[in-house]
Amino acid sequence: MALMEVRNLVKRFPVRGGVLNRVIGHVHAVSDVSFDVHKGETLGVVGESGCGKSTLGKMLIRLIEPTSGTIRYEGKDITTLDHVELMPFRRTMQIIFQDPYSSLNPRLTVRSLLREAIAFHRIVPRAEMDEYITNLIRKVGLRADAADKFPHEFSGGQRQRIGIARALATRPEFIVADEPVSALDVSIQAQVLNLLMDLKDEFGLTLVFISHDLKVIQHFCDRVMVMYLGRAVEMMPCLDLDEQARHPYSKALLGANPIDDPSDRRPLTILQGDVPSPFNVPKGCPFTGRCPEVIDRCREEMPPAVSHSDGHLVACWVASEGVAECQRGA
Amino acid sequence: MTGRLLRSRGARKFRRNRLAMAALGVILLYFATAVFLFFGGVSMEATKERVAPKHTPGFFQTPDLDQRLAFAMHFISEVDSATRLASRRDQHPHDILVEKALAERRPARLEPQRYDELLDEAFGILEEELDLVDNIADHPELEPRVERVEEIAAAFFPMPTGWEGRAYWSRTFLGSDAAGQSISIRAIYSIKVAFQIGLITSVISVLFGSLLGAAAAFFGGWVDHAITWVFSTLSSIPYLVLLSVLIVVFFGTIFDDPERPFLSLVPIYVAFCSTFWIGPCRVIRGETMKIKELEYVQAATAIGFGRVYILLKHVIPNTAHLMFINFSLLFIGAIKSEVILSFLGLGVKGQASWGIMIRDAKDEVASYFFWQIGAATFLMFVLVLAFNIFTDALQDAFDPRHVD
């Protein structure tokens, strides 16, 4: 059974305007997204800026309330829980943020920000607190004397490690990593990614890894979900990504990926046009305006997610043509 | 918290600013004086005590012969009426004169007949040599005679010497006002009144305003609407009008009693606090709107903390720099407003205040008597200037957008 089952998740942000400050429309951040997260895996979510991947990630741990749809964690629907009922899930589900500068309260030392979380969930008895904190800090690759420093005394990479330590402090099982390395230098990115990988194995974590960088996803994840304008357009195992990607948008993303081998040249498809505004989503497939393979049907109807092979879902009329049983995927 | 603040980057930047450190020194000096006064360093009676004949000029100006004669005559006529009263009651004139002492300048105890001798001599000079002269100031040749009258006055009321002399000098070096009260004592005592009003109103306003502003922005919805409505309504009422209304409301109660100097300031506290909190409330509301979207607030939510805890622990402490700046702006604003209101007669009652001194000095300035207005405005000017420099430096040092 999947650890987390997400069904038809929707998030619309109301847009207010006019003299009376009335709702004049909605921004469709996430539209009808369904997927499963299996225990112990790392699910990558990839897409360009504004495609709703961060909103999705924050909805998974109820930092943002979904407009509709359900999120089941170990079979329990967490979208309807109130603050108190949610408490055990707050402990088991954590998040790592993108910006290591705004994600740490500048007025708290590392020790106090970790202690706050640990004491709140009573993870360890008071007497073992200091030892637990020291261990945690060592685990994320910082020296023990970092505990009594303030965030501004650290570099970006170190701050991100502190952010990871905070996420791990409550002994979670499920972590949403919201572009955890996008704000870091490439050399530091690798360190933090390796750290995350080690910690994932050590603590048996399940990760949802959000990124706009396919390279990072391929390196790090078991499965990948490609998002475009609030919709999941393709979902597949990471290993097959290079050869098996079917959706034109996934192929364009892969094509834009720099290759470190000059002899390996592939035809490059450069997307034309812009992402349509999420305020005014076109009918049919959102990718029609930029898709090189667009057919008339795309403009009329949103393509369903079709299972191409085991664990490979594609939402595209063209790519799914000829796939024998057009069964609706989960 | 305090230690952190002193070690912070902003504090280091502030310490490098020499002008700001000098301003801080001046402020601390004022503050020390205010504390000293608050714990009774100078009693309120001392500000009302007669220390010299009225309008004695301060140390800068030598009085002309006319004035010198008038000051000497003040003492001689006191002695004159005392001796008459004494002979009728069969008392020693000294017993009556002790009542007329001007602070440390006390009457000398002379032989009873010596009073009459000296008085005769003084009146002799006055009536025979000086009375016919129109304007003594135009006749420098008469100076020895005026000096003689002064000597007689000093014989009756000798100038104190030693420590008493120094104490007397400190009371009179800025002269005296129309009631013979010491200008220096009143000007210094006003520091206490100013600080009392400045500190109480700015501390209450900043704490109250910041808390409401942060709550408004953080909780949003109806909380925000309600608080915004209250402060936009209140800010349309000038505090002068509010204060006038409050004075009417408090009229005749214990808050209107000049004998209770502390309570008589309550209408001012209420008027100032109820309008001054709007400034910090607006600023902190804006800052909180920004902070509540930051990821560390989301991280705190993800851990499961309650909203109120997040507000108190993660949001409000990060607005502290704005609270400091607002505090120092309001502090000086309150002092200036107090002076203006006292000048108008709506403010401080029954005790010294720079505003009252400036009001009293209105008519003196025309006759070239500057000590009262000079002392009051100088002390206020230095304090306001020091605070403005201090606030600017605080802003420079703690505003994260100012990076050097």
Side-chain angles (χ1 to χ4, degrees), chain B residues 69 72-73 76 125 130 145-153:
Chain B
L69 192 62
M73 284 310 295
I76 289 171
I125 296 172
L130 302 178
R145 307 314 295 150
V146 175
E147 258 171 27
R148 179 60 198 151
V149 179
E150 284 179 320
E151 278 166 29
I152 294 167

Side-chain angles (χ1 to χ4, degrees), chain A residues 11 27 55 67 90 95 100 126-127 131 134 142 151 158 163 169 180 182 188 198 203 216 276 284:
Chain A
K11 180 64 192 180
V27 167
T55 308
T67 307
R90 288 289 190 215
I95 182 163
R126 199 163 284 274
E131 196 190 331
T134 311
L142 294 171
Q158 289 171 318
S182 314
I188 311 290
D198 294 345
F203 292 95
V216 170

Side-chain angles (χ1 to χ4, degrees), chain A residues 63-85:
Chain A
L63 278 184
I64 294 177
E65 299 296 322
T67 307
S68 66
T70 57
I71 302 164
R72 287 178 181 279
Y73 186 86
E74 290 182 325
K76 187 162 173 151
D77 186 357
I78 60 164
T79 48
T80 53
L81 301 182
D82 65 22
H83 181 75
V84 178
E85 293 168 328

Side-chain angles (χ1 to χ4, degrees), chain A residues 58 61 63 83 87 90 93-95 97-99 102-108 116-117 120-121 150 152 166, chain B residues 1 4-5 7 294-299 301-306 309 313-315 317-321:
Chain A
K58 284 174 185 170
I61 60 163
L63 278 184
H83 181 75
M87 236 7 104
R90 288 289 190 215
M93 307 198 293
Q94 277 299 320
I95 182 163
F97 289 99
Q98 172 177 8
D99 179 3
S102 73
S103 65
L104 302 174
N105 184 342
R107 295 204 177 261
L108 294 182
E116 192 182 53
F120 184 75
H121 287 290
F150 286 95
H152 67 89
R166 174 179 56 198
Chain B
M1 166 86 198
R4 273 253 0 258
L5 191 76
R7 272 182 280 115
L294 290 180
E295 288 177 341
Y296 63 79
V297 174
Q298 295 183 26
T301 311
I303 288 168
F305 296 130
Y309 177 87
K313 184 86 188 263
H314 293 271
V315 176
N318 283 298
T319 62
H321 64 292

Side-chain angles (χ1 to χ4, degrees), chain A residues 100-129:
Chain A
Y101 290 90
S102 73
S103 65
L104 302 174
N105 184 342
R107 295 204 177 261
L108 294 182
T109 60
V110 175
R111 185 188 301 281
S112 47
L113 72 87
L114 292 176
R115 183 166 49 207
E116 192 182 53
I118 299 162
F120 184 75
H121 287 290
R122 299 200 179 83
I123 305 297
V124 292
R126 199 163 284 274
E128 295 164 32
M129 181 79 82

